[in-house]
Amino acid sequence: MTAGRSGAADRRESRESFKDIALRSLSAAGEAIAQLASGLNTALLAMLLLLWLTLTAATSVVGVGLLMAPAILRTLHALAGRERGRLARWDPEVAAPEPPPTRLRAALVDRTTCRELGWLVRHSTVGALLGLLGVVLPVLAVRDTAFPLYWTFIPESATATSVGIGNAHTWPDAVAVMLLGVGWIAIILGLTPGMARLQAGLGRRLLSAGPDVDLSLRVAELTATRAAALDAHATELRRIERSLHDGAQNRLVSVAVLIGASRRMVARDPAGAGELLERAQSAAEQALAELRTVARSIQPPVLADRGLAGALSGLAANCAVPCRIDVDVPERCAASVEATAYFVVAEALTNIAKHSGARHAVVTARGGGGRLVLSVEDDGRGGAGGDSRASGSGQEDGGSGLTGIRRRIAAHDGGLTLTSPPGGPTVLTVDLPCGS
C-alpha cells in the first residue's frame, strides 16, 4: 500500500513537472514572439531610414544630400533611443551614451554615431528577418495545424501546405499537413527564444554606452544604491523603534503600574490585588509576544533553523491564496540575502492576498553561479506597479509595498522585474547576488 501511494505521488509530481516545463516553454515562446514582433516595427523604420541615408549619400555628390544630413542624424539618434526603450521593456535597461552630435563633420568621427550606423545596417537586415520569422511562424503553425478543420472546403487545385508544396485529396493528406503544423510549433518553442535574444543582442551590443561611460554610470548607480540602502536602513530602524514604543513599551509600563497597584492593595484587598496581578501577567505575555514579533521582523529565526526552503514553505502555508513552492538552491546564501529574499516573498504574497484576486500563486527560487533568482507568479487581475513592466530600482511606482521591495533589493545591488499586464498574470522576478 505504501509503495502504491509512493508510485502515485511520483507520477503526480512527474505530471506537475511536465506541466511546469510546458507552461514555461509556452510562456518563453510567447514572450519571444512578442519581442520579435516589436523588433520588426523598429526594423521596418530602420529599413526606411537606411534607404533615406543611401539616397542622401548618393545626392551628396552634387551637394544636395549635405543639406539633409542633420535631419538624418537626428532621426538616427531618435530611432536608436526608441530601440533602447524597446529593449528596456523586455530586459535590463540599455545604458544610453552621451547625446551624439547632429552636425555632419562631428558625427563622422563620433564613435556613438558610428555604432548606431552599424546597428542600423544590421537591424534593418538581420533584425528585420528575425522579426518577420517571429510573425510568420505562428501564422504558419495555426494554418497547418488547423488544416483538417477546413481542408474539405478549399478547391482541389489549391496548395495544401503553407510552404506551397503538395495538394490534399484525402484525410491522410490532411493529417500530414497537420503534422507539419506541429513541426512549426516545435520550431517556435525551440528557436524563437534564441531568435529574440539574437535580435536584441544587436542593439544591446551596439547601442549601449562604451566601457568608460559604463564605469561612470556604474559609479552613479552605486552611489544611488548606497543612498537607497541607507534610507531603507533608517526606515527599518524607525519601524522597529515605533513597534517597540507603541507596543511592548506600553505593555511593560502597564505591567509596572498594575504591579505597583497590587502591592498597595495586597494588605487590605487580597482578591483585588490578585486580579491586578492577573492583568499584569496578561500584559506581560502580550509584551513578550510583541517582542517576538519585532525580533522575527528583524531576522526570522526560521531562516537559521530551516533554511530558505523551509522559510518560504512556511510563508506559503500561511498565505491566504493557495501557493506552491519550488526551491532549488544547492548552497546557502549570505544571511542578509536570505533575509531579503524572505521579506520580498512575504511582501509579494501579502500583496497577492490583498489586491490581486488570484486563485493560485507560485514561488520559485533558483540558486547557482553566485546568484539567487526569485520568481513570484499569480493568476490575478494584473495591473500591479502601475505599468505592464517595471525594471530596476529607480522606479517608485506601485505603492509602498513594491517601493520597499525595490529598496531592499537595491541595498544588495540586485535587480527587479515586474510583469503585470491588465488581466494578469503577474510575475515578480528578483535577482540577488548570493555573497553580499
Side-chain angles (χ1 to χ4, degrees):
M1 180 67 74
T2 303
R5 288 200 192 100
S6 177
D10 291 341
R11 288 192 296 272
R12 185 164 57 253
E13 290 179 0
S14 177
R15 287 195 298 269
E16 290 179 355
S17 176
F18 177 77
K19 180 181 178 181
D20 291 341
I21 294 174
L23 290 176
R24 284 197 295 268
S25 299
L26 288 172
S27 177
E31 185 171 340
I33 290 172
Q35 290 186 50
L36 290 168
S38 68
L40 180 61
N41 292 332
T42 53
L44 294 176
L45 295 176
M47 292 174 65
L48 294 176
L49 181 57
L50 185 62
L51 178 61
W52 184 17
L53 181 62
T54 303
L55 294 175
T56 301
T59 55
S60 294
V61 179
V62 294
V64 178
L66 298 176
L67 300 176
M68 292 188 290
I72 288 181
L73 290 173
R74 284 193 294 269
T75 306
L76 173 63
H77 302 328
L79 183 59
R82 179 171 178 173
E83 179 69 4
R84 293 187 189 97
R86 182 187 76 85
L87 295 175
R89 291 197 302 270
W90 299 103
D91 285 302
E93 185 177 357
V94 178
E98 293 294 326
T102 57
R103 293 183 177 273
L104 181 59
R105 182 172 297 181
L108 292 175
V109 296
D110 180 64
R111 186 179 180 186
T112 298
T113 303
C114 294
R115 289 164 65 91
E116 289 181 351
L117 287 173
W119 164 81
L120 182 72
V121 174
R122 289 171 174 81
H123 192 56
S124 60
T125 52
V126 179
L129 177 60
L130 292 172
L132 186 62
L133 288 174
V135 173
V136 171
L137 283 175
V139 176
L140 300 182
V142 172
R143 192 262 187 201
D144 288 346
T145 304
F147 187 75
L149 300 177
Y150 63 86
W151 77 280
T152 55
F153 302 102
I154 64 174
E156 293 185 359
S157 59
T159 302
T161 64
S162 57
V163 295
I165 301 175
N167 301 96
H169 302 291
T170 62
W171 276 105
D173 295 337
V175 172
V177 177
M178 183 189 71
L179 293 178
L180 177 62
V182 174
W184 291 128
I185 294 175
I187 291 174
I188 290 172
L189 294 177
L191 296 184
T192 51
M195 293 165 56
R197 288 193 296 270
L198 178 59
Q199 186 193 60
L202 299 173
R204 293 191 174 278
R205 186 169 60 254
L206 294 173
L207 297 181
S208 60
D212 51 342
V213 180
D214 278 346
L215 182 59
S216 63
L217 291 175
R218 183 61 175 158
V219 171
E221 179 184 355
L222 289 176
T223 301
T225 298
R226 184 183 64 177
L230 293 174
D231 184 55
H233 178 67
T235 302
E236 190 69 9
L237 288 178
R238 286 194 298 269
R239 182 191 65 80
I240 295 171
E241 187 274 336
R242 188 167 55 250
S243 298
L244 293 175
H245 181 273
D246 297 342
Q249 178 176 295
N250 286 342
R251 301 285 184 189
L252 293 175
V253 169
S254 66
V255 168
V257 172
L258 290 171
I259 291 176
S262 65
R263 288 179 60 189
R264 290 190 295 271
M265 293 176 61
V266 68
R268 66 178 186 274
D269 188 4
E275 182 181 348
L276 290 178
L277 288 174
E278 287 181 4
R279 291 171 57 188
Q281 182 181 3
S282 176
E285 291 173 351
Q286 293 176 5
L288 286 174
E290 291 175 354
L291 286 173
R292 292 192 191 99
T293 301
V294 173
R296 280 194 292 269
S297 71
I298 299 172
Q299 180 69 28
V302 67
L303 283 173
D305 298 338
R306 301 171 56 192
L308 184 61
L312 295 184
S313 297
L315 288 176
N318 295 326
C319 183
V321 176
C323 182
R324 182 169 58 84
I325 297 292
D326 183 9
V327 179
D328 182 12
V329 184
E331 299 179 356
R332 294 293 298 267
C333 298
S336 59
V337 174
E338 289 189 345
T340 296
Y342 177 88
F343 286 120
V344 166
V345 174
E347 182 65 34
L349 293 181
T350 300
N351 289 342
I352 290 172
K354 287 183 177 180
H355 309 299
S356 70
R359 294 174 295 177
H360 186 71
V362 179
V363 177
T364 304
R366 294 288 182 267
R371 311 292 296 184
L372 175 63
V373 180
L374 297 170
S375 176
V376 183
E377 181 176 358
D378 70 80
D379 59 355
R381 64 178 63 95
D387 197 355
S388 61
R389 285 186 176 270
S391 178
S393 61
Q395 302 179 16
E396 296 298 333
D397 54 349
S400 59
L402 286 176
T403 300
I405 289 176
R406 287 192 177 97
R407 286 177 176 173
R408 284 185 180 273
I409 295 168
H412 292 279
D413 197 21
L416 178 147
T417 302
L418 176 64
T419 305
S420 185
T426 297
V427 182
L428 176 71
T429 304
V430 173
D431 183 6
L432 293 167
C434 282
S436 61

